Amino acid sequence: MIQRILINRLLQAVMVAWGVGSLSFVLMRSLPGDMAYRVAAGRYGQDNVSAEAAEWVRQELALDLPAWQAYLHWLLDMLRLDLGVSLISGAPVIDEIKHQLGHSIELAVMAILLAALMAFPLGILSGLRARGWLDRSLLLLSSLLRAQPVFVIGLMLILAFAVYWPLFPVAGFGQGNDWVLPAFSLALALAAVSSRVVRDSTLAVIHSPYYQFARVKGLSEWQTFRQHGLRNLSVPVVAFMGIQLVGLIEGIVMIESLFSWPGIGHGLAHAIFSRDVPMIQGTALMMGLLFVALNTLVDLACYKIDPRGRPE
Amino acid sequence: MIELLEVKSLSVHAGDQCLLEPLSCTLTAARPLTILGQTGAGKSLLAQAIMGLLPQTLRVEGEVRLNGRSLLTLPMQERRALWGRVLAMLPQEPWHALDPVMRSRRQVSEVHQFVLGLEQEAADQQAELDLQHLGLADALEKIPSQLSGGMAQRVAFVAATAAGGSLLLADEPTKGLDYGRRDQVVQLLQRQLTQGALLTITHDIDVARQLGGDLIVMRRGQVMEQGEAEALLADPQSEYTRELLAADPSCWTAPKQSPQVMEPLIRVEGLSQQRGGKMLFEGLSFELCPHQITGIVGDSGCGKSTLGDLLLGNLQPQAGRVTYQRPFARHQLLKLYQDPPAAFAPGVPLQQLLKDLVRLHDLDASRIPALLERLHLNPQLLTRCSHEVSGGELQRIALLRALLMRPVLLFADEPTSRLDPMTGQQIIELLVEVARDYACAVVLVSHDPVLVDKTCHQIIRL
Amino acid sequence: MKPFLAWIPGLSRSQWLGAAILMALILFALLEGWLHQGDSTRQNLSNYLAAPSAQEWFGTDHFGRSMLARMGDALRLSLMLSLFCVATAALLGTGLGVCAAWMGGITERLLNFLANTLLALPGLVLVLLLAAIAPGSFLVLYLAISLVLWIEYYRVVRAQTQVVIRSPQLEASRQLGFGRWYLFRRHIWPAIRPSVLTLAAFGAGNAILALASIGFVYVGLQPPVAELGLMVVELLPYYNDAPWALAQPILAIFLLILGFNLLAGKAK
């Protein structure tokens, strides 16, 4: 069963690589001007480009081959993690994205943790007292938050906690508390949805026949909740996390751009803006792989907490 | 005899509406008390009122005394202290009452641990013993979805009584169980009697008969009759009880008429079918003749519906043959469904559906009024949508729709199992008449061997 | 999912609120285009970041362009795009979903493979990559967003259609000899209609969000086009001098998405 999860996700990773690789190839071919000159300019600086250097690049990257051969070369290079050099900075793409990936994972993990810390207690409380004042106010808050793009949430946080009350840096990276605002922006967007999922799930669990039966067996309210509530209510919440990951990844692109956080999302937006195809490919690939990796973790967590569907 | 639980003119109300009219009864040790009534008769409210499980929107009046102590006035905390320890309650649908992600052993051992205060290890051992005692050694490490219905019922029984409650309330303990499993549950309940008292709520006359003791018959929240079970069932006083008993297949008296011998419409030879590596049936051979009713019996999952698909020509047999007297059109081989509302397109007036059918096959619409009368249907019903018509009426409309097509085969898949017994009896009687009056073969699938015995000319057991 | 977002009597109170918000925005977009006839690109550097006045109801931006004209343009753009995307995605996704469930076999497997491949990349990343091929092209954005949106319809419709196809009601009609179109009209469409309409409302919100998002990271439509996300990022540096200007596109995005979310009702 675990093997099946891993194989499925591995296949998905391959699809991501193929999709990103192909789109990047199309992008590369559709760029105006002579590709070889552009690559050479990226590598050796604008002033050092000679016909010779361009010819050398052309040979190396097989740029004069027919399209289908060039396409195969392109994909093979990607498989070997040879992602080329940035057309802008001239640095190898792999080095740049290695750093970026670390920053993005840091942000993603902090956001998920913060979101869980908010969503679970608040969701459970509003589920236990459904239609009470807490439930109603959280519903309103969640509806308002869900109607904001995540960059607007980030913007509000900046205006409030960096400009009006200068508690945190407006943007950038390097101070100890720099992660707080970007991570909170992402976490608020996540928690706005998942707190409602927790709430609905809690409500369903405490009205389920098995919850009732546990009470009737003689367990106290707290024992019933601990033994039968927590795990059962987590099942749909964790499964839903898989759907929310799309939003998280999209949020990372926005929030990193807004806060100039040196992660993959920022890198991707930047690369697209400056049409730096090797960087586009590298960052999109990492973004996709990060998405697949997080999805795999969600699958494994689902498998761990829900024994249904496992072979006997 | 020690008096355990005394209920005095207990009633349940929702606003102005009375859901359960005043009811009094006494529950004593070693003498079972059974409440018999159809779904929606308000009988489950009684058990919930005794436990203190009713939602707050419902109002309870009257008195419930447990060994002289009045329960209804106790604070919730004290009532909960009785749960499991004194009052045990067997849930309606054990599959849903067991925690779906917890192993059977833990569902029992947590009671020993948290209610009786054992160490976790000792609690686990005790739970293991309890479960083994009921032949559930295999089920220890299983979660509910891996248990059969009967096993789940026994695990729920062990868990419900683990805390030592001597007064057992069983709410529809046989709902959804096959015939054989039902008797096992009754034995389980009788065993409980030796240790305390038993209140059973059921819709099943046989369960009431087997349990004996005292019996209360209810209908729509009203007590129709109350007395000693054996005497009451032998000589019912109220009209309702009489009808209820008469609708039980074992009491049917109509004689079976043998149809005249005719050339078979469908011939089945050496039919075998397996599903998921399991043989459903093997080497099945029989013939279906006009005017003849064929019964198919067997527990759930034995391949009754698969056999239906083979007969209707919707499935190719894996081995053997189904041959038809002449090539019949698909719409002459028809089916009646278990759940009538599920067999009609929703949200469209029934007459529109019939009109669609008449147009499609260029049928003679003037037959409809006669068929309506034949099936005792009010023509007004056809102006409604399927969900606005009662199950029994809709099943008759399904029959009408089938007869309009002049069918050769009518495959009735448990056509009465979702209907109350009186309505079910009417449907079966109509099916018998249809077989007599129209030249079609009727196949009646049922889990009830008695019903099939009483109505069918030939019986196939799977 | 709340059933029957369909026709007017079935709407809940919050759905009415959503519909009212959207109607107001649409009305504003239409009336602005009809009556105001301002030019969203005409600069007037001597009158930049002007506060709302009798002349310029919504003030001006950092190039002195009329905010009223720009907001009208941006709203029409967002609404139009969401309409096109949702119509395309709904038609494509519903059609293919029903096909897959009905045909099964190789058709279904191929379509599933296609959907899963597209799902392997987060939607926005896919839209960004496609947008990079032809920067600033409305057509590419429309195609890219529709390409992401149809999958949701496909999956939901396919799952629900499968249930209907296995149901006794369809089996009964099929046995009675009815053809595919009848089965679709009488059985499948009534079952999937509420979901399709709910998804349409959510999808419209998502399309608007996607457009604003790529505008915000500056890789979508290019200046001087008036687009809500682009306007946010352009006006961001002036949050202190002209908060009213920055607030306008933000409020518009908020109201659009809120309106569609409310109209969609409660999701699963």
Side-chain angles (χ1 to χ4, degrees), chain B residues 135-186:
Chain B
L136 290 164
D138 291 343
L140 286 172
E141 299 302 329
K142 287 186 175 165
I143 55 170
S145 59
Q146 297 165 341
L147 300 174
S148 70
M151 282 163 97
Q153 184 62 273
R154 278 177 286 160
V155 172
F157 181 85
V158 174
T161 54
S166 56
L167 203 156
L168 183 67
L169 307 177
D171 189 3
E172 289 283 9
T174 60
K175 195 172 169 184
L177 290 184
D178 285 329
Y179 249 56
R181 306 265 149 64
R182 194 188 68 183
D183 296 345
Q184 287 177 4
V185 171
V186 173

Short mmCIF file of all heavy atoms in Angstrom, two decimals, chain B residues 135-186:
data_model
loop_
_atom_site.label_atom_id
_atom_site.label_comp_id
_atom_site.label_asym_id
_atom_site.label_seq_id
_atom_site.Cartn_x
_atom_site.Cartn_y
_atom_site.Cartn_z
N GLY B 135 -16.64 -15.96 20.55
CA GLY B 135 -16.13 -16.49 19.29
C GLY B 135 -15.58 -15.43 18.37
O GLY B 135 -15.70 -15.52 17.15
N LEU B 136 -14.99 -14.38 18.96
CA LEU B 136 -14.50 -13.29 18.13
C LEU B 136 -12.98 -13.18 18.15
O LEU B 136 -12.43 -12.10 17.97
CB LEU B 136 -15.11 -11.97 18.60
CG LEU B 136 -16.61 -11.80 18.33
CD1 LEU B 136 -17.19 -10.67 19.15
CD2 LEU B 136 -16.86 -11.56 16.86
N ALA B 137 -12.31 -14.33 18.37
CA ALA B 137 -10.84 -14.30 18.46
C ALA B 137 -10.23 -13.71 17.19
O ALA B 137 -9.23 -13.00 17.24
CB ALA B 137 -10.31 -15.70 18.72
N ASP B 138 -10.87 -13.97 16.05
CA ASP B 138 -10.34 -13.47 14.77
C ASP B 138 -10.50 -11.96 14.64
O ASP B 138 -9.80 -11.33 13.86
CB ASP B 138 -11.11 -14.10 13.60
CG ASP B 138 -10.80 -15.56 13.47
OD1 ASP B 138 -9.78 -15.97 14.06
OD2 ASP B 138 -11.57 -16.27 12.82
N ALA B 139 -11.46 -11.42 15.36
CA ALA B 139 -11.83 -10.03 15.14
C ALA B 139 -11.00 -9.06 15.97
O ALA B 139 -11.09 -7.85 15.77
CB ALA B 139 -13.31 -9.83 15.46
N LEU B 140 -10.18 -9.58 16.88
CA LEU B 140 -9.47 -8.71 17.83
C LEU B 140 -8.78 -7.53 17.16
O LEU B 140 -8.90 -6.39 17.61
CB LEU B 140 -8.41 -9.53 18.58
CG LEU B 140 -8.95 -10.48 19.65
CD1 LEU B 140 -7.83 -11.36 20.17
CD2 LEU B 140 -9.57 -9.68 20.78
N GLU B 141 -8.03 -7.80 16.11
CA GLU B 141 -7.20 -6.75 15.50
C GLU B 141 -7.88 -6.13 14.28
O GLU B 141 -7.24 -5.48 13.47
CB GLU B 141 -5.84 -7.32 15.10
CG GLU B 141 -5.03 -7.88 16.27
CD GLU B 141 -4.78 -6.84 17.34
OE1 GLU B 141 -4.69 -5.64 17.00
OE2 GLU B 141 -4.73 -7.21 18.53
N LYS B 142 -9.16 -6.41 14.10
CA LYS B 142 -9.83 -5.87 12.91
C LYS B 142 -10.54 -4.57 13.22
O LYS B 142 -10.97 -4.33 14.34
CB LYS B 142 -10.83 -6.89 12.37
CG LYS B 142 -10.14 -8.06 11.70
CD LYS B 142 -11.13 -8.98 11.04
CE LYS B 142 -10.40 -10.07 10.29
NZ LYS B 142 -11.26 -11.18 9.93
N ILE B 143 -10.69 -3.75 12.18
CA ILE B 143 -11.50 -2.54 12.31
C ILE B 143 -12.88 -2.85 11.74
O ILE B 143 -13.03 -3.83 10.99
CB ILE B 143 -10.84 -1.34 11.59
CG1 ILE B 143 -10.56 -1.69 10.13
CG2 ILE B 143 -9.58 -0.92 12.29
CD1 ILE B 143 -10.16 -0.50 9.31
N PRO B 144 -13.89 -2.06 12.10
CA PRO B 144 -15.27 -2.42 11.73
C PRO B 144 -15.48 -2.76 10.26
O PRO B 144 -16.23 -3.68 9.95
CB PRO B 144 -16.06 -1.17 12.11
CG PRO B 144 -15.31 -0.62 13.26
CD PRO B 144 -13.86 -0.88 12.97
N SER B 145 -14.81 -2.05 9.33
CA SER B 145 -15.08 -2.33 7.92
C SER B 145 -14.60 -3.72 7.52
O SER B 145 -14.95 -4.21 6.46
CB SER B 145 -14.40 -1.27 7.05
OG SER B 145 -13.01 -1.27 7.27
N GLN B 146 -13.79 -4.35 8.38
CA GLN B 146 -13.33 -5.70 8.06
C GLN B 146 -14.20 -6.76 8.72
O GLN B 146 -13.95 -7.95 8.59
CB GLN B 146 -11.87 -5.87 8.53
CG GLN B 146 -10.92 -4.93 7.81
CD GLN B 146 -9.58 -4.82 8.49
OE1 GLN B 146 -9.44 -5.15 9.67
NE2 GLN B 146 -8.59 -4.34 7.77
N LEU B 147 -15.21 -6.33 9.49
CA LEU B 147 -16.08 -7.29 10.18
C LEU B 147 -17.35 -7.53 9.38
O LEU B 147 -17.83 -6.65 8.68
CB LEU B 147 -16.49 -6.73 11.56
CG LEU B 147 -15.38 -6.41 12.55
CD1 LEU B 147 -15.97 -5.72 13.77
CD2 LEU B 147 -14.64 -7.67 12.95
N SER B 148 -17.90 -8.73 9.50
CA SER B 148 -19.21 -8.98 8.91
C SER B 148 -20.28 -8.36 9.81
O SER B 148 -19.99 -8.00 10.96
CB SER B 148 -19.44 -10.47 8.78
OG SER B 148 -19.62 -11.03 10.06
N GLY B 149 -21.49 -8.24 9.29
CA GLY B 149 -22.57 -7.64 10.07
C GLY B 149 -22.79 -8.35 11.40
O GLY B 149 -22.95 -7.72 12.45
N GLY B 150 -22.76 -9.67 11.37
CA GLY B 150 -22.98 -10.45 12.59
C GLY B 150 -21.85 -10.24 13.59
O GLY B 150 -22.08 -10.10 14.79
N MET B 151 -20.61 -10.23 13.09
CA MET B 151 -19.47 -10.01 13.98
C MET B 151 -19.54 -8.63 14.59
O MET B 151 -19.30 -8.46 15.79
CB MET B 151 -18.16 -10.16 13.20
CG MET B 151 -17.75 -11.59 12.94
SD MET B 151 -16.50 -11.62 11.63
CE MET B 151 -15.02 -11.70 12.60
N ALA B 152 -19.85 -7.62 13.79
CA ALA B 152 -19.94 -6.26 14.30
C ALA B 152 -20.99 -6.18 15.41
O ALA B 152 -20.79 -5.54 16.43
CB ALA B 152 -20.28 -5.28 13.17
N GLN B 153 -22.11 -6.88 15.20
CA GLN B 153 -23.15 -6.87 16.21
C GLN B 153 -22.63 -7.46 17.53
O GLN B 153 -22.90 -6.93 18.60
CB GLN B 153 -24.36 -7.66 15.70
CG GLN B 153 -25.56 -7.67 16.59
CD GLN B 153 -26.14 -6.28 16.80
OE1 GLN B 153 -25.71 -5.56 17.70
NE2 GLN B 153 -27.09 -5.89 15.98
N ARG B 154 -21.84 -8.53 17.45
CA ARG B 154 -21.33 -9.14 18.68
C ARG B 154 -20.27 -8.27 19.34
O ARG B 154 -20.23 -8.15 20.56
CB ARG B 154 -20.78 -10.54 18.37
CG ARG B 154 -21.89 -11.58 18.33
CD ARG B 154 -21.37 -12.94 17.96
NE ARG B 154 -21.05 -13.00 16.54
CZ ARG B 154 -20.23 -13.90 16.01
NH1 ARG B 154 -19.63 -14.80 16.78
NH2 ARG B 154 -19.99 -13.90 14.71
N VAL B 155 -19.39 -7.65 18.52
CA VAL B 155 -18.40 -6.75 19.11
C VAL B 155 -19.10 -5.61 19.83
O VAL B 155 -18.75 -5.26 20.96
CB VAL B 155 -17.44 -6.19 18.02
CG1 VAL B 155 -16.54 -5.12 18.61
CG2 VAL B 155 -16.61 -7.30 17.43
N ALA B 156 -20.13 -5.05 19.20
CA ALA B 156 -20.89 -3.96 19.82
C ALA B 156 -21.53 -4.45 21.12
O ALA B 156 -21.57 -3.72 22.11
CB ALA B 156 -21.95 -3.44 18.86
N PHE B 157 -22.00 -5.68 21.10
CA PHE B 157 -22.62 -6.23 22.29
C PHE B 157 -21.61 -6.30 23.44
O PHE B 157 -21.88 -5.88 24.56
CB PHE B 157 -23.17 -7.63 21.97
CG PHE B 157 -23.85 -8.30 23.12
CD1 PHE B 157 -25.19 -8.06 23.38
CD2 PHE B 157 -23.15 -9.16 23.96
CE1 PHE B 157 -25.82 -8.67 24.45
CE2 PHE B 157 -23.78 -9.76 25.03
CZ PHE B 157 -25.11 -9.53 25.27
N VAL B 158 -20.42 -6.83 23.14
CA VAL B 158 -19.38 -6.94 24.17
C VAL B 158 -19.01 -5.55 24.68
O VAL B 158 -18.91 -5.32 25.89
CB VAL B 158 -18.12 -7.65 23.60
CG1 VAL B 158 -17.01 -7.63 24.63
CG2 VAL B 158 -18.46 -9.07 23.21
N ALA B 159 -18.83 -4.59 23.76
CA ALA B 159 -18.43 -3.25 24.17
C ALA B 159 -19.52 -2.59 25.00
O ALA B 159 -19.24 -1.94 26.01
CB ALA B 159 -18.13 -2.40 22.94
N ALA B 160 -20.78 -2.78 24.60
CA ALA B 160 -21.88 -2.11 25.30
C ALA B 160 -22.03 -2.63 26.72
O ALA B 160 -22.37 -1.89 27.64
CB ALA B 160 -23.18 -2.31 24.53
N THR B 161 -21.77 -3.92 26.92
CA THR B 161 -22.00 -4.50 28.24
C THR B 161 -20.72 -4.62 29.05
O THR B 161 -20.75 -5.11 30.18
CB THR B 161 -22.63 -5.89 28.10
OG1 THR B 161 -21.81 -6.68 27.23
CG2 THR B 161 -24.03 -5.82 27.50
N ALA B 162 -19.58 -4.17 28.52
CA ALA B 162 -18.30 -4.38 29.20
C ALA B 162 -18.26 -3.72 30.57
O ALA B 162 -17.64 -4.24 31.49
CB ALA B 162 -17.16 -3.85 28.33
N ALA B 163 -18.92 -2.58 30.71
CA ALA B 163 -18.85 -1.87 31.99
C ALA B 163 -19.74 -2.51 33.04
O ALA B 163 -19.79 -2.04 34.18
CB ALA B 163 -19.23 -0.41 31.78
N GLY B 164 -20.46 -3.54 32.68
CA GLY B 164 -21.20 -4.31 33.69
C GLY B 164 -22.66 -3.94 33.81
O GLY B 164 -23.33 -4.40 34.73
N GLY B 165 -23.19 -3.13 32.91
CA GLY B 165 -24.61 -2.76 32.98
C GLY B 165 -25.50 -3.99 32.94
O GLY B 165 -25.33 -4.85 32.08
N SER B 166 -26.44 -4.10 33.86
CA SER B 166 -27.25 -5.31 33.94
C SER B 166 -28.58 -5.12 33.24
O SER B 166 -29.32 -6.06 33.04
CB SER B 166 -27.48 -5.68 35.40
OG SER B 166 -28.07 -4.59 36.05
N LEU B 167 -28.87 -3.85 32.88
CA LEU B 167 -30.15 -3.60 32.25
C LEU B 167 -29.88 -3.22 30.80
O LEU B 167 -29.30 -2.17 30.51
CB LEU B 167 -30.79 -2.42 32.98
CG LEU B 167 -32.30 -2.30 32.90
CD1 LEU B 167 -32.79 -1.51 34.08
CD2 LEU B 167 -32.71 -1.67 31.61
N LEU B 168 -30.23 -4.12 29.87
CA LEU B 168 -29.85 -3.90 28.48
C LEU B 168 -31.01 -3.39 27.66
O LEU B 168 -32.09 -3.96 27.65
CB LEU B 168 -29.32 -5.21 27.89
CG LEU B 168 -28.80 -5.13 26.45
CD1 LEU B 168 -27.55 -4.29 26.37
CD2 LEU B 168 -28.53 -6.53 25.90
N LEU B 169 -30.77 -2.27 26.96
CA LEU B 169 -31.76 -1.76 26.02
C LEU B 169 -31.23 -2.06 24.62
O LEU B 169 -30.14 -1.62 24.26
CB LEU B 169 -31.93 -0.25 26.17
CG LEU B 169 -32.22 0.29 27.57
CD1 LEU B 169 -32.28 1.81 27.55
CD2 LEU B 169 -33.52 -0.27 28.10
N ALA B 170 -32.00 -2.84 23.86
CA ALA B 170 -31.55 -3.18 22.51
C ALA B 170 -32.49 -2.54 21.50
O ALA B 170 -33.67 -2.89 21.44
CB ALA B 170 -31.52 -4.69 22.33
N ASP B 171 -31.97 -1.58 20.73
CA ASP B 171 -32.80 -0.83 19.78
C ASP B 171 -32.61 -1.42 18.39
O ASP B 171 -31.55 -1.25 17.78
CB ASP B 171 -32.37 0.64 19.82
CG ASP B 171 -33.33 1.53 19.04
OD1 ASP B 171 -34.34 1.00 18.52
OD2 ASP B 171 -33.07 2.74 18.95
N GLU B 172 -33.61 -2.09 17.88
CA GLU B 172 -33.54 -2.72 16.55
C GLU B 172 -32.25 -3.52 16.36
O GLU B 172 -31.48 -3.27 15.43
CB GLU B 172 -33.62 -1.65 15.44
CG GLU B 172 -34.98 -1.01 15.29
CD GLU B 172 -36.00 -1.89 14.58
OE1 GLU B 172 -35.70 -3.09 14.33
OE2 GLU B 172 -37.10 -1.40 14.28
N PRO B 173 -31.99 -4.49 17.22
CA PRO B 173 -30.71 -5.18 17.12
C PRO B 173 -30.58 -6.07 15.89
O PRO B 173 -29.49 -6.51 15.58
CB PRO B 173 -30.68 -6.03 18.40
CG PRO B 173 -32.12 -6.25 18.73
CD PRO B 173 -32.85 -5.03 18.26
N THR B 174 -31.67 -6.33 15.17
CA THR B 174 -31.57 -7.23 14.03
C THR B 174 -31.74 -6.50 12.70
O THR B 174 -31.81 -7.13 11.66
CB THR B 174 -32.64 -8.33 14.09
OG1 THR B 174 -33.93 -7.70 14.10
CG2 THR B 174 -32.50 -9.17 15.33
N LYS B 175 -31.78 -5.17 12.78
CA LYS B 175 -31.98 -4.40 11.55
C LYS B 175 -30.88 -4.70 10.53
O LYS B 175 -29.70 -4.65 10.84
CB LYS B 175 -31.95 -2.92 11.90
CG LYS B 175 -32.49 -2.00 10.85
CD LYS B 175 -32.56 -0.61 11.44
CE LYS B 175 -32.84 0.44 10.39
NZ LYS B 175 -32.79 1.77 10.98
N GLY B 176 -31.29 -5.03 9.33
CA GLY B 176 -30.32 -5.24 8.25
C GLY B 176 -29.57 -6.56 8.32
O GLY B 176 -28.65 -6.77 7.56
N LEU B 177 -29.92 -7.44 9.24
CA LEU B 177 -29.22 -8.72 9.33
C LEU B 177 -29.97 -9.80 8.55
O LEU B 177 -31.18 -9.77 8.43
CB LEU B 177 -29.09 -9.16 10.79
CG LEU B 177 -28.15 -8.35 11.68
CD1 LEU B 177 -28.07 -8.97 13.06
CD2 LEU B 177 -26.76 -8.28 11.06
N ASP B 178 -29.19 -10.76 8.04
CA ASP B 178 -29.81 -11.88 7.34
C ASP B 178 -30.55 -12.79 8.31
O ASP B 178 -30.38 -12.70 9.52
CB ASP B 178 -28.73 -12.69 6.62
CG ASP B 178 -28.23 -11.96 5.39
OD1 ASP B 178 -29.04 -11.23 4.79
OD2 ASP B 178 -27.06 -12.10 5.06
N TYR B 179 -31.34 -13.68 7.73
CA TYR B 179 -32.14 -14.57 8.55
C TYR B 179 -31.36 -15.35 9.61
O TYR B 179 -31.71 -15.37 10.77
CB TYR B 179 -32.90 -15.56 7.65
CG TYR B 179 -34.36 -15.29 7.63
CD1 TYR B 179 -34.83 -14.03 7.27
CD2 TYR B 179 -35.27 -16.26 8.01
CE1 TYR B 179 -36.17 -13.76 7.27
CE2 TYR B 179 -36.62 -16.00 8.01
CZ TYR B 179 -37.07 -14.75 7.64
OH TYR B 179 -38.39 -14.49 7.65
N GLY B 180 -30.26 -15.97 9.18
CA GLY B 180 -29.48 -16.80 10.10
C GLY B 180 -28.87 -15.97 11.22
O GLY B 180 -28.90 -16.35 12.39
N ARG B 181 -28.33 -14.81 10.86
CA ARG B 181 -27.67 -13.94 11.84
C ARG B 181 -28.66 -13.44 12.87
O ARG B 181 -28.34 -13.24 14.02
CB ARG B 181 -27.07 -12.72 11.12
CG ARG B 181 -26.16 -13.04 10.00
CD ARG B 181 -24.70 -13.06 10.46
NE ARG B 181 -23.92 -14.02 9.70
CZ ARG B 181 -23.69 -13.94 8.41
NH1 ARG B 181 -24.19 -12.96 7.73
NH2 ARG B 181 -22.96 -14.83 7.79
N ARG B 182 -29.90 -13.28 12.44
CA ARG B 182 -30.93 -12.75 13.34
C ARG B 182 -31.09 -13.66 14.54
O ARG B 182 -31.16 -13.20 15.68
CB ARG B 182 -32.24 -12.65 12.56
CG ARG B 182 -33.28 -11.84 13.22
CD ARG B 182 -34.59 -11.96 12.49
NE ARG B 182 -35.13 -13.31 12.63
CZ ARG B 182 -36.24 -13.71 12.04
NH1 ARG B 182 -36.90 -12.89 11.25
NH2 ARG B 182 -36.69 -14.93 12.22
N ASP B 183 -31.13 -14.95 14.28
CA ASP B 183 -31.31 -15.88 15.39
C ASP B 183 -30.14 -15.85 16.35
O ASP B 183 -30.31 -15.99 17.56
CB ASP B 183 -31.53 -17.29 14.83
CG ASP B 183 -32.81 -17.37 14.01
OD1 ASP B 183 -33.62 -16.43 14.13
OD2 ASP B 183 -32.98 -18.34 13.26
N GLN B 184 -28.93 -15.65 15.82
CA GLN B 184 -27.76 -15.55 16.71
C GLN B 184 -27.91 -14.37 17.67
O GLN B 184 -27.59 -14.47 18.85
CB GLN B 184 -26.49 -15.32 15.89
CG GLN B 184 -26.04 -16.54 15.13
CD GLN B 184 -24.82 -16.23 14.28
OE1 GLN B 184 -24.29 -15.13 14.31
NE2 GLN B 184 -24.40 -17.22 13.51
N VAL B 185 -28.41 -13.27 17.14
CA VAL B 185 -28.56 -12.09 17.99
C VAL B 185 -29.60 -12.35 19.08
O VAL B 185 -29.42 -11.98 20.24
CB VAL B 185 -28.95 -10.86 17.14
CG1 VAL B 185 -29.33 -9.69 18.03
CG2 VAL B 185 -27.81 -10.48 16.24
N VAL B 186 -30.68 -13.03 18.70
CA VAL B 186 -31.70 -13.34 19.70
C VAL B 186 -31.10 -14.20 20.81
O VAL B 186 -31.34 -13.96 22.01
CB VAL B 186 -32.90 -14.03 19.03
CG1 VAL B 186 -33.88 -14.52 20.09
CG2 VAL B 186 -33.58 -13.08 18.07
#
